[in-house]
């Protein structure tokens, strides 16, 4: 029987980063992973059916949309033709390279990949059932649960993987739909809705709440919704789907106002169900070590420790934002704590990004949160329409907003909507990690001409000296 310092169950961003860090620190480590949706590759949801394939389609569809609708303005005349088979093939090829990359990193860091389904079989014991049904037993001083999450279901809407799909199905549709009905105006709905809208679909988004993207600063969400509406997305807010009936050619969806009123039936070629994700703990044997889950099924942790000694949990299966970089941060902190170091995650500074066009990115508190805390704050804003680089690139939509403490000037939140802001929010993550004041950013030289100058100008705005607008 193999003896390990750490066995990690799950090979997504939580699990594979934990395994690599453990290997780096000289721990004897194994990672149990069974692949996602019948696949046999490492990388979890993120690499196989999440972050990476969705970004591959977002990038390709944005290029297609630019060629069809924006190149002419730059003096480039083309008539693009969609080759969906090739678009999917390049996505699969990139994903394949990335998942192979994790295998390489495992070898480099002496991580044993135990292929199959892992089950905790009592304190310090893990059983792995391989594809051939053979069960092997392993022992470890520490077990890290990193089993991730699965799409949530909705009664009356059965995902058949054909006409009614979840995010995995929506990443691999065999044709560009003429119409797509999206249930849930969260991140998946708006990202994948954007992909298919750009490729020709009429997209209608039905959302339970009276706003889109809960958790996003309300002013940003309003601006974002306006922008997506201008692009042709239709929003039905304050509405719930009570049923969906698929036929060979499409789906009939029943929608009711949340506040009460008459139901209506909407027809669409395809339906994408994306109303959140649930922790994945099926068959994990949590009862063998006495771990209980919260009401929604999440494993509760304290600095990565579960209620069972020697058992840790990280990533989507635990409470908090379901994001790959949150899983990665928890992985590093958890393994460093196991190794006797001081692991720490700053939950106040986990950035969020929606990779649409425009992109939305933010970190720290929203205005609504600061108001609820009763914290006095100042606001600085700067529009991309006044930023020279955005202007020459014809990407002037959106703005940057910085929130800082009214007394100390410490930056409390940064909210960006505009061109490629995903690549810029890291500047504020670093500044805020060092507890910078808005004046620190305002007085830091930024390269010209770049969109990042808008971030500096917004910081200047906190003290009322924005110079370029
Ligand atoms: P997962 O990535 O879910 O990995 C868990 C792994 O454990 C899987 O391989 C699973 O098969 C395996 N497993 C489960 N149970 C067992 C078992 N008993 N035995 C063996 N193996 C098991 N996040 C971002 O930060 N940025 C994005 O752009 C982004 N885009 C996304 C797009 C989509 C469409 C989706 C669905 C998600 C996206 N996410 C994104 C979220 C991100 O994918 C997750 O937050 C992240 O993958 C969570 O990592 P994890 O390691 O906790 O779990
Ligand atoms: P989400 O939590 O982002 O959004 C779900 C939306 O569905 C919410 O607006 C919610 O109010 C709504 N909703 C819930 N029940 C509903 C109902 N019955 N009818 C209509 N609307 C309903 O969840 P989503 O989009 O499924 O994404 C899951 C997770 O994946 C997110 O937590 C996100 O963190 C992660 N993700 C992250 C990405 C990124 O970082 N760019 C990209 C894609 C996913």
């Amino acid at each position: 029987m193999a003896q390990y310092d750490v066995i990690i169950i799950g090979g997504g961003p939580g699990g594979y980063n934990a395994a690599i860090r453990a290997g780096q620190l000289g721990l004897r480590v194994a990672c149990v992973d069974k692949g996602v949706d019948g696949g046999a590759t490492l990388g979890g949801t993120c690499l196989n059916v999440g972050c990476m394939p969705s970004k591959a389609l977002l990038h390709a569809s944005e290029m297609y949309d630019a060629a069809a609708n924006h190149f002419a303005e730059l003096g480039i005349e083309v008539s693009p033709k969609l080759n969906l088979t090739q678009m999917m093939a390049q996505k699969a090829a990139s994903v394949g390279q990335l998942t192979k990359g994790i295998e390489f990193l495992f070898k480099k860091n002496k991580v044993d990949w135990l292929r199959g389904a892992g089950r905790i079989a009592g304190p310090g014991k893990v059983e792995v059932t391989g594809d051939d049904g053979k069960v092997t037993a392993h022992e470890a001083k520490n077990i890290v649960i990193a089993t991730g999450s699965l799409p949530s279901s909705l009664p009356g809407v059965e995902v058949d993987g054909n006409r009614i799909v979840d995010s995995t199905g929506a990443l691999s549709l065999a044709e560009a739909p003429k119409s797509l009905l999206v249930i849930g105006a969260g991140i998946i709905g708006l990202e994948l809705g954007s992909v298919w809208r750009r490729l020709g679909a009429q997209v209608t988004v039905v959302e339970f709440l009276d706003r889109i993207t809960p958790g996003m600063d309300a002013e940003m969400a309003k601006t974002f919704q306006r922008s997506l509406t201008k692009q042709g997305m239709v929003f039905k807010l304050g509405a719930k789907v009570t049923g969906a009936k698929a036929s060979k050619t499409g789906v009939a969806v029943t929608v009711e106002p949340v506040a009460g009123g008459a139901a209506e039936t909407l027809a669409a070629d395809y339906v994408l169900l994306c109303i959140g994700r649930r922790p994945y703990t099926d068959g994990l044997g949590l009862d063998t070590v006495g771990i209980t889950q919260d009401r929604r099924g999440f494993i509760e942790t304290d600095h990565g420790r579960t209620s069972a000694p020697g058992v840790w949990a990280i990533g989507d299966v635990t409470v908090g934002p379901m994001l790959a970089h949150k899983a990665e941060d928890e992985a590093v902190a958890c393994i460093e704590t196991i190794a006797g170091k001081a692991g720490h995650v700053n939950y106040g500074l986990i950035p969020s990004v929606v990779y649409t066009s425009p992109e939305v990115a933010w970190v720290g508190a929203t205005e609504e949160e600061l108001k609820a805390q009763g914290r006095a704050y100042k606001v600085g804003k700067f529009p991309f329409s006044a930023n020279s680089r955005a202007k020459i690139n014809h990407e002037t939509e959106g703005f940057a907003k910085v929130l800082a403490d009214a007394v100390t000037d410490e930056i409390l939140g940064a909210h960006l909507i505009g061109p490629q802001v995903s690549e810029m929010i890291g500047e504020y993550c670093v500044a805020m990690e060092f507890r910078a004041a808005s004046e620190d950013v305002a007085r830091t030289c930024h390269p010209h001409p770049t969109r990042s100058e808008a971030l500096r100008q917004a910081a200047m705005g906190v003290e009322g000296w924005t110079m370029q607008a």
Side-chain angles (χ1 to χ4, degrees):
M1 183 185 294
Q3 300 268 350
Y4 289 98
D5 293 315
V6 191
I7 293 182
I8 296 148
I9 307 178
Y16 77 70
N17 281 296
I20 291 168
R21 190 73 188 115
Q24 282 180 339
L25 293 175
L27 299 173
R28 179 138 197 243
V29 57
C31 179
V32 189
D33 191 76
K34 62 178 178 181
V36 178
D37 288 335
T41 49
L42 289 166
T45 303
C46 172
L47 266 61
N48 292 286
V49 293
C51 323
M52 302 324 302
S54 62
K55 266 79 255 178
L57 291 185
L58 278 157
H59 177 69
S61 63
E62 191 170 350
M63 294 293 102
Y64 177 77
D65 184 62
N69 300 309
H70 304 295
F71 276 14
E73 191 183 11
L74 304 175
I76 308 166
E77 294 190 1
V78 290
S79 306
K81 186 165 163 264
L82 177 63
N83 179 344
L84 190 60
T85 309
Q86 169 57 19
M87 198 178 275
M88 293 295 174
Q90 61 83 32
K91 175 198 71 167
S94 303
V95 166
Q97 285 166 11
L98 291 168
T99 57
K100 280 274 168 226
I102 306 292
E103 273 186 58
F104 164 78
L105 291 171
F106 272 17
K107 285 193 189 113
K108 183 179 165 199
N109 291 286
K110 299 192 174 55
V111 177
D112 290 345
W113 173 16
L114 308 177
R115 295 174 194 231
R119 179 181 164 273
I120 302 174
K125 294 189 191 325
V126 174
E127 286 175 358
V128 180
T129 308
D131 290 342
D132 54 4
K134 216 173 122 204
V135 179
T136 51
H138 306 268
E139 283 189 357
K141 291 184 196 135
N142 296 278
I143 298 169
V144 179
I145 301 169
T147 47
S149 61
L150 293 175
S152 299
S153 54
L154 181 64
V157 182
E158 195 190 326
V159 172
D160 60 15
N162 185 25
R163 289 283 159 184
I164 306 179
V165 294
D166 57 18
S167 54
T168 301
L171 288 166
S172 296
L173 293 180
E175 60 175 358
K178 287 196 182 56
S179 57
L180 174 70
L181 187 136
V182 175
I183 309 176
I187 307 194
I188 291 181
L190 301 182
E191 286 189 355
L192 295 183
S194 288
V195 165
W196 293 112
R197 185 205 57 74
R198 290 167 189 164
L199 300 182
Q202 169 59 57
V203 176
T204 303
V205 185
V206 180
E207 164 60 45
F208 190 84
L209 302 174
D210 60 1
R211 57 162 291 172
I212 68 167
T213 47
M216 184 185 285
D217 182 276
E219 183 186 20
M220 309 311 277
K222 260 198 194 129
T223 309
F224 187 32
Q225 188 186 337
R226 210 176 307 128
S227 174
L228 294 173
T229 303
K230 212 167 72 195
Q231 293 168 21
M233 263 193 207
V234 172
F235 288 94
K236 281 192 165 291
L237 303 183
K240 59 180 179 189
V241 169
T242 51
K245 218 170 153 21
S247 70
K248 268 201 181 129
T249 52
V251 192
V253 183
T254 327
V255 181
E256 279 178 25
V258 172
E264 60 178 325
T265 302
L266 304 176
D269 284 356
Y270 291 87
V271 167
L272 164 58
L273 178 66
C274 46
I275 56 166
R277 294 176 63 85
R278 66 169 176 89
Y280 184 19
T281 57
D282 305 359
L284 201 49
L286 295 180
D287 51 321
T288 67
V289 283
I291 293 178
T292 50
Q293 292 155 269
D294 76 6
R295 200 173 39 87
R296 292 179 304 154
F298 290 97
I299 298 177
E300 286 171 306
T301 54
D302 178 10
H303 293 80
R305 285 186 169 83
T306 68
S307 54
V311 185
W312 309 70
I314 56 174
D316 279 13
V317 78
T318 63
V319 181
M322 289 176 144
L323 296 171
H325 43 280
K326 178 259 195 186
E328 178 181 347
D329 265 34
E330 288 184 335
V332 172
C334 173
I335 295 298
E336 293 191 344
T337 308
I338 288 173
K341 294 173 173 286
H344 174 70
V345 178
N346 184 351
Y347 286 99
L349 285 186
I350 294 172
S352 294
V353 175
V354 192
Y355 294 84
T356 43
S357 180
E359 290 185 337
V360 189
W362 69 99
V363 63
T366 62
E367 286 204 57
E368 295 69 47
E369 284 164 351
L370 293 178
K371 280 180 190 142
Q373 289 165 19
R375 185 129 181 206
Y377 65 94
K378 288 188 186 173
V379 185
K381 282 190 207 172
F382 190 78
F384 282 104
S385 57
N387 171 269
S388 55
R389 185 67 184 276
K391 194 103 186 148
I392 51 165
N393 285 4
H394 306 275
E395 295 172 330
T396 51
E397 199 173 7
F399 61 96
K401 171 162 93 169
V402 178
L403 309 174
D405 188 279
V407 179
T408 65
D409 194 29
E410 179 176 351
I411 304 167
L412 303 174
H415 302 270
L416 315 174
I417 178 166
Q420 293 173 32
V421 292
S422 59
E423 298 291 354
M424 293 194 281
I425 195 67
E427 166 175 345
Y428 272 88
C429 296
V430 174
M432 290 168 73
E433 193 66 57
F434 283 87
R435 303 198 62 177
S438 76
E439 189 179 355
D440 292 323
V441 175
R443 294 197 182 275
T444 299
C445 190
H446 283 59
H448 173 77
T450 63
R451 304 172 186 95
S452 72
E453 289 173 285
L455 276 57
R456 181 187 191 182
Q457 294 286 328
M460 288 172 168
V462 173
E463 292 297 330
W465 62 289
T466 295
M467 291 167 61
Q468 293 167 4

